[in-house]
């Protein structure tokens, strides 16, 4: 059978042409540049944060020392909440040895607009060990400590293994005064360390200026501890007015527990020196807080220093 030819209108429709593939969308060069800059800045910020948060454990020569053990909460509580009646019963320090000396002729040292107590110490040092108990019990009457550490003096020093606090990483908050404290050296001797003891931290500009102005020199460097109370009172080396022998053979718990007994040698030595330090602090704070500065213990410390 013959098939009639298709007319043009009878031809099957032709499929529409396939559109060409769309090229991938490109990121503008300027946008790519800004994204790269943002990524680099984010990395830098992360590195800075890590440096700040981990810097406390970095010691000299790129070495990383062990983190300072936190002081037991019960010890901190006992040392920072000694009843006022115990300070008053102790009164002035009774140490027969050399004690702190008054400084005159210069404006008070301040930090952030507040009178400042400067402490430069070393964890291996036994006299630093004794003085930290004085600083903690004295300043606790004006503010609040947090993150206090626990350490002891080196075994190869006089009065070995004297249990004490560490100010490495500690914080102090007060409306009356500031504390600038640095632990310059660790607690354990090291044959590889240039000074025989690993270095922890360098003093700040403020701490260095006072240390260079008043600091006495021993055979191995400045006498430690170095304590300057607002440029009004200086305690240094063995002349801190309290003997590390009070701490011999005692744990931190035993020392802290003895602070509540005004007849104990520990309380008499530590709180007596604290009353003396507080008397000077009160001259810098306008005799505030009044409950502390008018107390019998602080008045006794003022009288012993000749403050009237």
């Amino acid at each position: 059978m013959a098939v009639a030819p298709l007319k043009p209108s009878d031809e099957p429709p032709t499929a529409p042409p396939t559109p060409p593939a769309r090229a991938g969308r490109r990121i503008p060069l300027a946008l790519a540049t800004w994204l790269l800059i943002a990524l680099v800045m984010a990395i830098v910020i992360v590195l800075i944060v890590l440096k700040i948060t981990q810097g406390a454990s970095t010691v000299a020569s790129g070495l990383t020392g062990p983190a300072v053990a936190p002081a037991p909460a019960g010890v901190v509580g006992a040392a920072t909440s000694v009843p006022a009646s115990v300070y008053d019963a102790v009164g002035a320090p009774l140490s027969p040895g050399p004690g702190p000396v008054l400084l005159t002729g210069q404006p008070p040292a301040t930090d952030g607009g507040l009178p400042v107590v400067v402490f430069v110490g070393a964890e291996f040092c036994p006299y630093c060990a004794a003085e930290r108990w004085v600083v903690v019990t004295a300043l606790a009457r004006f503010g609040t400590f947090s993150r206090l550490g626990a350490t002891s003096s080196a075994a190869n020093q006089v009065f070995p293994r004297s249990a004490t606090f560490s100010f490495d990483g500690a914080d102090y908050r007060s409306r009356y005064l500031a504390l600038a404290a640095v632990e310059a050296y660790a607690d354990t001797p090291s044959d590889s360390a240039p000074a025989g003891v690993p270095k922890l931290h360098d003093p700040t500009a403020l701490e260095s200026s006072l240390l260079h102005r008043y600091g006495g020199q021993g055979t191995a460097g400045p006498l430690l501890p170095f304590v300057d109370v607002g440029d009004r009172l200086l305690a240094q080396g063995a002349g801190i007015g309290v003997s590390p022998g009070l701490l011999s053979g005692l744990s931190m718990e035993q020392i802290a527990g003895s602070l509540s007994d005004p007849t104990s040698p520990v309380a008499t030595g530590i709180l007596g020196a604290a009353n003396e330090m507080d008397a000077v602090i009160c001259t810098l704070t306008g005799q505030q807080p009044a409950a502390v500065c008018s107390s019998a213990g602080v008045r006794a410390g003022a009288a012993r220093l000749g403050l009237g």
Side-chain angles (χ1 to χ4, degrees):
M1 179 179 64
V3 178
L6 295 175
K7 299 177 181 178
S9 59
D10 295 330
E11 294 179 357
T14 304
T18 302
R22 179 176 297 177
R25 180 175 297 175
R26 296 185 178 182
I27 300 176
L29 180 59
L31 177 58
T33 301
W34 281 110
L35 289 175
L36 180 60
I37 292 174
L39 177 61
V40 171
M41 291 182 64
I43 293 173
V44 170
I45 291 172
V46 170
L47 291 176
I48 291 174
V49 171
L50 289 175
K51 177 67 175 178
I52 293 173
T53 57
Q54 297 177 359
S57 64
T58 301
V59 297
S61 303
L63 301 175
T64 300
V68 177
V75 169
V76 176
T80 58
S81 60
V82 177
S85 59
V86 179
Y87 287 93
D88 292 343
V90 168
L94 301 176
S95 173
V101 295
L102 289 175
L103 302 173
T104 59
Q106 64 285 316
T110 61
D111 187 13
L114 294 173
V116 62
V117 175
V118 171
F119 176 95
V120 181
E123 293 183 346
F124 72 85
C125 158
Y127 285 92
C128 303
E131 185 67 2
R132 288 190 203 94
W133 286 97
V134 176
V135 172
V136 168
T137 53
L139 270 62
R141 307 184 80 182
F142 297 85
T144 304
F145 283 96
S146 61
R147 299 195 298 275
L148 284 167
T151 188
S152 62
S153 61
N156 65 345
Q157 298 287 309
V158 64
F159 307 112
R161 306 187 193 282
S162 297
T164 185
F165 296 102
S166 172
F167 291 134
D168 190 11
D171 184 58
Y172 178 75
R173 301 295 175 91
S174 170
R175 58 183 291 193
Y176 302 103
L177 73 157
L179 171 63
V182 61
E183 303 289 3
Y185 295 93
D187 58 356
T188 305
S190 171
D191 293 336
S192 62
V197 182
K199 189 175 182 181
L200 289 180
H201 306 288
D202 289 320
T204 64
L206 169 65
E207 295 157 355
S208 293
S209 66
L210 294 174
L211 187 62
H212 292 156
R213 184 185 306 171
Y214 302 116
Q217 293 290 317
T219 57
L223 296 176
L224 299 178
F226 174 88
V227 182
D228 183 308
V229 181
D231 245 3
R232 289 292 184 267
L233 186 74
L234 177 65
Q236 187 175 23
I240 58 175
V242 58
S243 171
L246 296 173
L247 313 179
S248 294
L250 300 178
S251 66
M252 290 190 76
E253 288 80 4
Q254 291 171 317
I255 297 167
S258 297
L259 291 174
S260 61
D261 177 5
T263 64
S264 72
V266 167
T268 300
I270 292 173
L271 299 184
N275 276 333
E276 199 170 68
M277 185 177 291
D278 285 346
V280 175
I281 291 174
C282 286
T283 67
L284 298 166
T285 64
Q287 299 298 319
Q288 295 297 320
V292 174
C293 296
S294 63
S295 67
V298 171
R299 292 201 308 270
R304 189 175 192 276
L305 288 172
L307 294 175

